[in-house]
Each structure stands twice: as C-alpha cells, then as structure tokens.
Amino acid sequence: MKIMKLFAAFACTALLLASTACDPHRDNQPETIPDSIAYTEWYSQGLDEDGNTVYYTLKIETQMATLTASDAQENGHIVSQKPLEVAYTKPNVRLTFYDGGRFAGYIIDKQYTTINGVHVYIMQLFGVDESGNVILGDDGKPASTMIFWKE
C-alpha cells in the first residue's frame, strides 16, 4: 500500500510538471502591447547593397512618420530619409511610403523578446500589395520584410 501511495504521489507530481511545461506563458505577465504608437521611435539594423551596416530609425508622430537610414560610421551620416503614413490598430501596423512601397504587420509584446538582456517590443512588417496581401517570392516566402524594435 505504501508503494501505491508513493507511486500515486509521483504520478500527480509528474502530471503537474507536465501540464505546467505545456503552457509556456502561464507565468508570464499579461500582454502589454501599446494602445498607441504615436510619438515613438523604433530601431533596426541591416546591410546595404554593398554589405555595409546601416542603422534605421522609424520616428512615428501621429499618422505621419519618417524612416531614416544612417551609416555605421561614428558620426552616423544619413544615407536616406523617407516620409510615410502609419495606421495602427492594436496590434496591427500599416506603413505606406510616399514612393509607393507598402508594408503591413504586427507588434509582438515585449515579454517574448530581449535584446542585450532588455525586453523589447518587436514590429514585424511584410511587403504587401495594394489589397494588403503579402507579396511572396518564387520560394513562397515573403519577398520583403522589415523588423524594428523598441524598449
């Protein structure tokens, strides 16, 4: 009987641990996706066509924003600067460049991602057509993407 009680206790403990392990967000904080992204700055890093590092800053005012690309030199020379329109309905984002480029995507809550040990929001964007459909390459994957982050 003692062995049966010990086995039952072990089975209950294993079941409890397994059910906790199956729900990875059980102990996380509630979602904190911002209600507004007005007056925020988002950052990204990439490579230009020559393989040089470029830093991007997306400054959002209200529905208007500016995307600035700077080189990686100490003074951060501006490579390009483009105005764009922004539409945000939590958590979905749409960016429309004045030269015709369109991107749409979403914001991921900061509890899921860290950069250098700091929790950050992620804005994942995909190139879309006029109807809002993601433009796919020959391989079936999105042809153009952008990822920005902010604390």
Side-chain angles (χ1 to χ4, degrees):
M1 188 68 170
K2 190 174 186 178
I3 294 175
M4 289 298 285
K5 286 183 182 179
L6 184 62
F7 178 76
F10 175 77
C12 288
T13 303
L15 183 61
L16 178 64
L17 291 174
S19 66
T20 302
C22 292
D23 185 7
H25 305 297
R26 181 176 181 169
D27 295 329
N28 287 346
Q29 303 170 8
E31 298 270 329
T32 62
I33 296 173
D35 293 326
S36 171
I37 58 172
Y39 306 105
T40 59
E41 285 189 22
W42 297 76
Y43 308 98
S44 187
Q45 179 178 325
L47 299 175
D48 65 12
E49 54 276 348
D50 298 326
N52 299 315
T53 301
V54 179
Y55 297 101
Y56 298 94
T57 303
L58 176 62
K59 290 185 181 181
I60 301 173
E61 294 302 319
T62 53
Q63 283 80 26
M64 300 296 292
T66 305
L67 178 63
T68 304
S70 308
D71 63 22
Q73 295 180 9
E74 188 175 315
N75 296 331
H77 297 81
I78 293 176
V79 176
S80 68
Q81 202 164 15
K82 296 181 178 183
L84 56 129
E85 290 182 27
V86 177
Y88 177 69
T89 305
K90 182 180 174 180
N92 301 309
V93 180
R94 266 193 346 252
L95 301 180
T96 305
F97 290 90
Y98 284 96
D99 63 4
R102 292 179 177 81
F103 285 82
Y106 48 87
I107 293 178
I108 300 170
D109 194 288
K110 70 189 309 181
Q111 68 179 313
Y112 300 113
T113 308
T114 60
I115 294 178
N116 294 331
V118 176
H119 287 276
V120 295
Y121 293 106
I122 298 293
M123 183 187 300
Q124 173 66 66
L125 300 168
F126 305 94
V128 295
D129 61 19
E130 290 180 12
S131 301
N133 298 315
V134 176
I135 299 169
L136 301 176
D138 294 335
D139 59 359
K141 296 179 181 177
S144 182
T145 62
M146 292 193 295
I147 296 177
F148 292 92
W149 63 271
K150 83 171 219 62
E151 286 186 39

